[in-house]
Amino acid sequence: MRKILIVGAGKSTAVLIEYLLKKAESENLQLIIGDILVENAKQLAGDHARAKAISLDIFNVEERSNAVKEADIVISMLPARFHIEVAKDCLKYGKSMVTASYISPEMQMLDDEVKQKGLVFMNEIGVDPGIDHMSAMKVIDRIREKGGKIILFESFTGGLVAPESDTNLWNYKFTWNPRNVVVAGQGGVAKFLQEGKFKYIPYNRLFRRTEFIEIRDFGKFEVYANRNSLSYKKIYGLEHALTLYRGTVRRVGFSRAWNMFIQLGMTDDSYTMENSEEMSYRDFVNSFLPYSPTDTVELKLRHNLKLDQDDIMWEKLLELDIFNPEKIVGLKNATPAEILQKILMDKWSLGKEDKDMIVMYHKFGYELNGEKKQIDATMVHLGKDQIRTAMAITVGFPVAIAALKILNGTISTPGVQLPITKEVYDPILKELSENGILFEEKEIEYLGYNPLGEVGN
Amino acid sequence: MRKILIVGAGKSTAVLIEYLLKKAESENLQLIIGDILVENAKQLAGDHARAKAISLDIFNVEERSNAVKEADIVISMLPARFHIEVAKDCLKYGKSMVTASYISPEMQMLDDEVKQKGLVFMNEIGVDPGIDHMSAMKVIDRIREKGGKIILFESFTGGLVAPESDTNLWNYKFTWNPRNVVVAGQGGVAKFLQEGKFKYIPYNRLFRRTEFIEIRDFGKFEVYANRNSLSYKKIYGLEHALTLYRGTVRRVGFSRAWNMFIQLGMTDDSYTMENSEEMSYRDFVNSFLPYSPTDTVELKLRHNLKLDQDDIMWEKLLELDIFNPEKIVGLKNATPAEILQKILMDKWSLGKEDKDMIVMYHKFGYELNGEKKQIDATMVHLGKDQIRTAMAITVGFPVAIAALKILNGTISTPGVQLPITKEVYDPILKELSENGILFEEKEIEYLGYNPLGEVGN
């Protein structure tokens, strides 16, 4: 039996394991599921003959190296910062590995040694990063093979609530790590390229400079810019691209409302608030408003943000019960972002029957034989239930498929990699599409931002 | 002769030296002026018999220790981060020292040793910090001695252009380090206390949450909050204060206009812009606005900031010539903040005839015999010429006076200190007032923020 060690029994691991167990007989697999809490691992292993749960503290050198030594390949589903510990053991004991996280500088530094040992360390193979890389590179390579030159690349991804479960004014619920949503856009300016012009959006304007997109019959969405659009020039080899723009998808109206929190300072994660534990939700809001002996917190907020009382933004705040003087934060030494997260989790957590949705939208503008053309590709995936969420499926499936393909030698180019070569994306996208994760493409008229070739600003 | 080593021949050093040279005969002083560029030092020393210029690179251990060894006391006018090198030598060779900078953690760590050796390391003895500490503590101590309890302390300082030289729409020119003005308010939330409520203002709102003050017949000013108001609770021992608020003074309208730069992202100092060297001022502005094939940079900015064409804010931008496509930035790998600074320096540098102004305003609210009272104290100092600016005088004089008082033993309590004790502030404030730097005090009705004792928010 070929042993796959899966480290970390987290949210998306259940789907991944389910996928691999279905293939366990035909592929002759044994899954070893390791978690610091063996109960978590046991729950995922169930009583399946081909799954075994073990207690695994990755900071316990002996536990870790024993587990890695035994495996034929390792999948790390740990938080990104912990992969490196596992990676070093994989290198030591000559095992390939798979993660869904961005390649860290420490991981990149292992590249030479990984190549020397003929191993594959496949990273960034979840949904975003992951399916975005593969689906984009597949179209980009096809255009290039025909002799086309990419002049525009835009790519948008969002984890949202499915239309049937879209029941609040924000058209949003937490479908993954809430913390990432609360601090989204922080830590650096959003930088991108439009028609050859470098553009920069500071955090305090990020959620006001959105663009609209339509996705098939799912309707209208909006996109705010990601921080790192320019780095894709090098990763995808887009040296001719005049437009490079990546963003995060939300339902229309979310960003304008979210911007209220940014303007007030509620998303700040850089300092802790005085008396955060005893503070009420109302106190929290009031901390960001001027003192007044008489005016209410409500009026001060409306005045500060210039909200009319019939503005839907105001209704959105009320829906969060954010002015409640009875609800207590109850978090010690909490940052504004942590407190806001707690307030939002009261209202935005997925209910038992709620389903989520992943949307992805790529635009490829290119020149071929002197003509400008455009391909738009969209993917929408809906969650099935609380375990088989769209997020867990679109992260877990590509990870599982990649691990199997590496084990079987279909993917064999050694090194610290991300899935941008045909060898990787072709077989994985094929298998994803057989599992219902697929893109619809259409050729449309080239739009760009300057179709008439004006001077442009 | 008693030797005073002055390290760093910078902007405010000329005034400081002039002051000390006037006393050189009567006090039997010899000034040793050291700078990494000996020419700078020579210019300040002139041909005065009691002043000597030396070449002094503080990172050259030998040069540094030789200079310190020779001195009876050391004044460091270096940028704040360099004091510690000098301080360690002062400790080694048993010399007291004076700086105008905030006490760094490294400096604070020397306290025990400085005390053991009976030395005085006096810091924060310029204008802000410096005169603010002394003038505030003098009133606070006086109120306490009468049995009063401080319930409100507010303190505002600004370096501005003198009314007679106030010739632009911004009512502002650079009277000190322009860089500090451009990045003012960055690096942490502004945190203060109003009527017992903790209040937080994020950077993107800082220049919109101003308060107005009037200073005698100099008219109306506005104040934006400093970052660190709460730390003064401990420093000044204001454990009963319900209101603690420190801020920076500008002429009314400056902050609202400055906020445009913040909103656009032009004050960001955390990343460098592409092609900054070749970029025109117009390109710079356009980098922060959405791409358009047809709309002008002007209209995009007006739309983005919602400016009517007859808004004075718009005139302020035009005055800076910020839309000029011919003016080139000419700075390699520059941050937005560096580029903005350059654009502003074209227009906001002090002219030859221009004079500056320092304003300081303290409010002390207190309870005495069950009654609430308030003292307001204001100081305005006008510059004389390009060398004897108000800033150079109000920084240089207290430094010089402190050095002399330490040398003469009037100030003798050992340790790493700031000027908050009577031993320090009494003689220095007295001598400052003899030199025209003095406060006007008036008792007024207690105002606070909640005179009627409402519940308050």
Side-chain angles (χ1 to χ4, degrees):
Chain A
M1 278 197 295
R2 302 182 301 167
K3 289 185 180 159
I4 302 181
L5 172 63
I6 298 155
V7 191
K11 255 188 173 177
S12 56
T13 313
V15 171
L16 183 155
I17 286 165
E18 191 178 70
Y19 183 91
L20 288 173
L21 283 179
K22 269 191 205 155
K23 308 237 167 185
E25 288 299 328
S26 61
E27 295 277 356
N28 194 28
L29 306 174
Q30 169 79 28
L31 307 190
I32 320 292
I33 305 159
D35 198 278
I36 190 162
L37 301 169
V38 71
E39 287 311 313
N40 289 353
K42 275 185 182 159
Q43 220 178 335
L44 295 184
D47 51 7
H48 200 291
R50 293 200 172 249
K52 193 178 110 187
I54 62 168
S55 164
L56 175 47
D57 172 0
I58 61 138
F59 294 107
N60 180 323
V61 178
E62 208 188 316
E63 271 185 26
R64 192 182 66 220
S65 59
N66 283 342
V68 171
K69 241 186 286 185
E70 291 289 307
D72 292 294
I73 189 167
V74 178
I75 295 174
S76 174
M77 298 300 282
L78 298 165
R81 63 190 182 283
F82 297 144
H83 293 319
I84 191 68
E85 304 298 331
V86 179
K88 283 177 181 164
D89 271 2
C90 285
L91 193 57
K92 194 166 166 191
Y93 300 111
K95 314 293 178 180
S96 287
M97 82 177 283
V98 181
T99 87
S101 306
Y102 284 104
I103 297 174
S104 65
E106 299 77 41
M107 184 69 87
Q108 187 58 51
M109 275 173 56
L110 303 180
D111 188 45
D112 282 347
E113 285 179 84
V114 172
K115 278 180 182 149
Q116 272 166 31
K117 294 210 167 185
L119 302 173
V120 182
F121 279 20
M122 181 62 65
N123 303 276
E124 307 193 17
I125 191 143
V127 57
D128 175 12
I131 294 177
D132 59 342
H133 287 322
M134 295 189 281
S135 52
M137 283 309 298
K138 187 177 169 156
V139 176
I140 291 168
D141 282 346
R142 205 175 65 215
I143 290 168
R144 277 192 192 130
E145 276 160 24
K146 281 198 263 178
K149 195 173 83 180
I150 307 284
I151 53 174
L152 173 148
F153 174 65
E154 300 191 337
S155 178
F156 314 120
T157 304
L160 296 163
V161 66
E164 60 181 285
S165 308
D166 189 345
T167 53
N168 67 36
L169 288 175
W170 293 75
N171 306 115
Y172 188 79
K173 293 178 185 174
F174 290 126
T175 63
W176 202 242
N177 187 348
R179 182 178 163 75
N180 292 349
V181 176
V182 174
V183 302
Q186 294 181 27
V189 74
K191 196 170 159 184
F192 54 96
L193 195 61
Q194 274 180 320
E195 300 290 348
K197 306 272 180 191
F198 289 100
K199 297 291 180 183
Y200 307 85
I201 310 181
Y203 179 54
N204 63 285
R205 296 292 295 165
L206 188 61
F207 289 80
R208 298 303 293 123
R209 292 264 303 269
T210 49
E211 308 216 347
F212 293 138
I213 55 172
E214 284 222 28
I215 302 183
R216 300 187 230 155
D217 44 1
F218 289 90
K220 209 169 171 182
F221 297 82
E222 66 189 13
V223 172
Y224 65 83
N226 290 351
R227 227 174 75 186
N228 55 354
S229 294
L230 297 186
S231 60
Y232 288 80
K233 186 170 205 147
K234 200 171 158 216
I235 298 172
Y236 293 177
L238 302 173
E239 60 279 1
H240 302 295
L242 294 170
T243 298
L244 274 176
Y245 183 89
R246 282 172 50 98
T248 297
V249 180
R250 294 287 179 258
R251 280 292 183 181
V252 173
F254 176 89
S255 302
R256 192 164 105 90
W258 185 263
N259 185 54
M260 294 191 291
F261 299 140
I262 295 175
Q263 292 306 312
L264 291 166
M266 289 180 178
T267 62
D268 199 326
D269 199 41
S270 69
Y271 68 93
T272 59
M273 301 186 79
E274 303 283 336
N275 313 326
S276 63
E277 195 172 11
E278 293 82 31
M279 180 185 278
S280 70
Y281 288 10
R282 188 179 188 82
D283 292 336
F284 173 65
V285 176
N286 192 32
S287 305
F288 302 104
L289 296 168
Y291 176 84
S292 162
T294 48
D295 298 324
T296 60
V297 179
E298 284 87 348
L299 189 66
K300 289 193 296 184
L301 184 138
R302 287 222 296 260
H303 173 255
N304 219 262
L305 297 179
K306 299 194 169 69
L307 295 183
D308 289 324
Q309 64 172 2
D310 56 359
D311 192 326
I312 186 68
M313 306 248 285
W314 177 244
E315 295 296 324
K316 287 181 184 180
L317 290 178
L318 292 182
E319 191 186 69
L320 294 173
D321 204 17
I322 203 165
F323 297 105
N324 193 323
E326 310 294 335
K327 285 193 182 165
I328 301 302
V329 167
L331 301 171
K332 250 187 214 161
N333 299 320
T335 67
E338 287 164 350
I339 297 170
L340 178 62
Q341 178 181 333
K342 161 143 195 192
I343 293 172
L344 297 176
M345 284 175 78
D346 289 355
K347 300 286 173 179
W348 289 0
S349 294
L350 283 181
K352 268 207 166 163
E353 301 302 314
D354 279 342
K355 296 186 176 58
D356 73 330
M357 169 168 76
I358 294 279
V359 299
M360 196 175 285
Y361 192 130
H362 301 305
K363 299 185 191 185
F364 308 90
Y366 61 102
E367 261 179 39
L368 182 63
N369 308 326
E371 248 186 295
K372 285 183 180 168
K373 292 165 173 259
Q374 185 165 328
I375 293 170
D376 280 17
T378 56
M379 187 270 280
V380 177
H381 199 79
L382 294 164
K384 289 190 180 55
D385 55 44
Q386 279 245 303
I387 307 276
R388 291 165 200 86
T389 64
M391 187 67 93
I393 291 170
T394 54
V395 171
F397 276 26
V399 167
I401 296 167
L404 260 184
K405 301 285 178 201
I406 294 168
L407 201 57
N408 291 339
T410 319
I411 296 172
S412 61
T413 306
V416 172
Q417 291 200 46
L418 68 172
I420 51 173
T421 61
K422 214 179 198 108
E423 177 197 58
V424 182
Y425 66 66
D426 256 354
I428 297 181
L429 286 176
K430 181 167 174 289
E431 193 152 338
L432 285 175
S433 80
E434 288 161 12
N435 283 279
I437 302 168
L438 71 177
F439 282 78
E440 275 185 24
E441 276 184 30
K442 55 181 182 187
E443 284 270 355
I444 60 166
E445 211 183 332
Y446 176 75
L447 295 172
Y449 289 83
N450 192 356
L452 299 177
E454 310 278 349
V455 175
N457 286 303
Chain B
M1 279 197 298
R2 303 182 302 168
K3 290 186 179 155
I4 302 182
L5 172 64
I6 298 154
V7 191
K11 254 187 172 178
S12 56
T13 313
V15 171
L16 183 157
I17 286 166
E18 191 178 72
Y19 183 92
L20 289 173
L21 283 179
K22 269 192 205 155
K23 309 235 166 183
E25 288 299 327
S26 62
E27 295 278 357
N28 194 26
L29 306 175
Q30 169 77 30
L31 306 190
I32 320 293
I33 305 160
D35 198 277
I36 190 162
L37 300 170
V38 72
E39 286 312 312
N40 289 353
K42 275 185 182 158
Q43 219 179 335
L44 295 184
D47 50 7
H48 200 290
R50 290 194 174 256
K52 192 178 111 188
I54 63 168
S55 165
L56 176 47
D57 172 1
I58 60 139
F59 293 107
N60 180 322
V61 177
E62 208 188 317
E63 269 184 29
R64 192 182 67 221
S65 59
N66 282 343
V68 171
K69 242 187 283 185
E70 290 289 306
D72 292 294
I73 189 167
V74 178
I75 296 174
S76 174
M77 298 300 281
L78 297 166
R81 63 191 180 283
F82 298 143
H83 293 320
I84 191 69
E85 303 298 331
V86 178
K88 284 177 181 166
D89 271 2
C90 285
L91 194 56
K92 194 165 167 190
Y93 300 110
K95 315 293 178 180
S96 287
M97 81 178 282
V98 181
T99 86
S101 306
Y102 284 105
I103 297 174
S104 65
E106 299 77 42
M107 183 71 88
Q108 187 58 52
M109 275 172 56
L110 304 180
D111 188 45
D112 282 347
E113 285 178 84
V114 172
K115 279 179 182 149
Q116 272 167 32
K117 295 211 168 182
L119 301 173
V120 182
F121 280 19
M122 182 61 67
N123 302 275
E124 307 193 17
I125 192 143
V127 56
D128 174 14
I131 295 177
D132 58 341
H133 286 322
M134 294 189 282
S135 53
M137 283 309 298
K138 186 176 170 156
V139 177
I140 290 169
D141 281 347
R142 203 174 68 214
I143 290 169
R144 279 193 192 128
E145 275 159 25
K146 282 198 263 178
K149 193 174 84 179
I150 306 285
I151 53 174
L152 173 148
F153 174 66
E154 299 190 336
S155 178
F156 314 120
T157 305
L160 296 162
V161 65
E164 59 181 286
S165 308
D166 189 345
T167 54
N168 67 35
L169 288 175
W170 293 75
N171 306 116
Y172 187 78
K173 293 178 185 173
F174 290 126
T175 63
W176 202 243
N177 187 349
R179 184 179 160 75
N180 292 350
V181 176
V182 174
V183 301
Q186 294 181 25
V189 75
K191 196 171 159 182
F192 55 95
L193 195 60
Q194 274 180 318
E195 300 289 349
K197 306 274 179 189
F198 289 99
K199 297 291 181 183
Y200 307 85
I201 310 182
Y203 179 54
N204 63 285
R205 296 293 295 165
L206 188 61
F207 288 81
R208 300 303 293 123
R209 292 267 301 270
T210 50
E211 307 216 348
F212 293 138
I213 54 173
E214 285 220 32
I215 302 183
R216 299 186 231 155
D217 44 3
F218 289 91
K220 209 169 171 181
F221 298 81
E222 66 188 14
V223 172
Y224 65 83
N226 290 351
R227 226 173 77 186
N228 55 354
S229 294
L230 296 186
S231 60
Y232 288 78
K233 185 169 206 149
K234 199 172 160 214
I235 299 171
Y236 293 177
L238 301 174
E239 60 278 2
H240 302 295
L242 295 171
T243 297
L244 273 176
Y245 183 89
R246 282 173 49 97
T248 298
V249 179
R250 294 286 178 259
R251 280 291 183 181
V252 174
F254 176 89
S255 303
R256 193 164 102 90
W258 184 263
N259 186 53
M260 293 191 291
F261 299 140
I262 295 175
Q263 292 307 311
L264 291 167
M266 290 180 178
T267 62
D268 198 325
D269 200 40
S270 70
Y271 69 93
T272 59
M273 299 185 81
E274 303 283 337
N275 314 325
S276 64
E277 196 173 10
E278 293 82 32
M279 179 185 279
S280 71
Y281 287 12
R282 188 179 188 81
D283 292 334
F284 174 66
V285 176
N286 193 32
S287 305
F288 302 104
L289 296 169
Y291 176 83
S292 163
T294 47
D295 297 326
T296 59
V297 178
E298 284 86 348
L299 188 66
K300 289 192 298 184
L301 183 138
R302 287 223 295 261
H303 173 253
N304 219 262
L305 297 178
K306 297 194 169 72
L307 295 183
D308 290 323
Q309 65 172 2
D310 57 357
D311 191 325
I312 185 69
M313 305 249 283
W314 178 243
E315 295 296 323
K316 287 182 185 181
L317 290 179
L318 292 182
E319 190 186 68
L320 295 173
D321 204 14
I322 203 167
F323 298 105
N324 193 323
E326 310 294 335
K327 286 193 182 163
I328 301 301
V329 167
L331 301 171
K332 251 185 214 162
N333 299 321
T335 67
E338 286 163 351
I339 297 171
L340 179 61
Q341 179 181 331
K342 161 143 193 190
I343 292 172
L344 297 175
M345 285 174 78
D346 289 354
K347 301 286 175 179
W348 289 0
S349 293
L350 283 181
K352 268 204 164 165
E353 301 301 315
D354 279 343
K355 295 185 176 60
D356 73 327
M357 168 167 80
I358 294 279
V359 299
M360 197 175 284
Y361 192 130
H362 302 305
K363 300 184 189 185
F364 309 89
Y366 61 101
E367 261 181 40
L368 182 63
N369 308 326
E371 246 186 296
K372 284 182 183 166
K373 293 167 173 258
Q374 184 166 327
I375 293 171
D376 279 15
T378 55
M379 185 272 278
V380 177
H381 199 77
L382 294 164
K384 289 190 180 57
D385 55 43
Q386 278 246 302
I387 307 276
R388 291 165 199 85
T389 63
M391 187 67 91
I393 292 170
T394 54
V395 171
F397 277 25
V399 168
I401 297 167
L404 260 182
K405 300 284 179 201
I406 294 168
L407 201 57
N408 291 339
T410 319
I411 297 171
S412 60
T413 306
V416 172
Q417 291 199 47
L418 69 171
I420 50 174
T421 61
K422 215 180 197 106
E423 177 196 58
V424 181
Y425 66 66
D426 255 354
I428 297 182
L429 286 175
K430 183 167 173 287
E431 194 151 338
L432 284 175
S433 81
E434 287 160 13
N435 283 279
I437 301 167
L438 71 177
F439 283 77
E440 275 186 24
E441 275 183 31
K442 56 181 184 187
E443 285 268 356
I444 61 166
E445 210 183 332
Y446 176 74
L447 295 172
Y449 288 81
N450 191 357
L452 300 177
E454 310 279 347
V455 175
N457 285 306

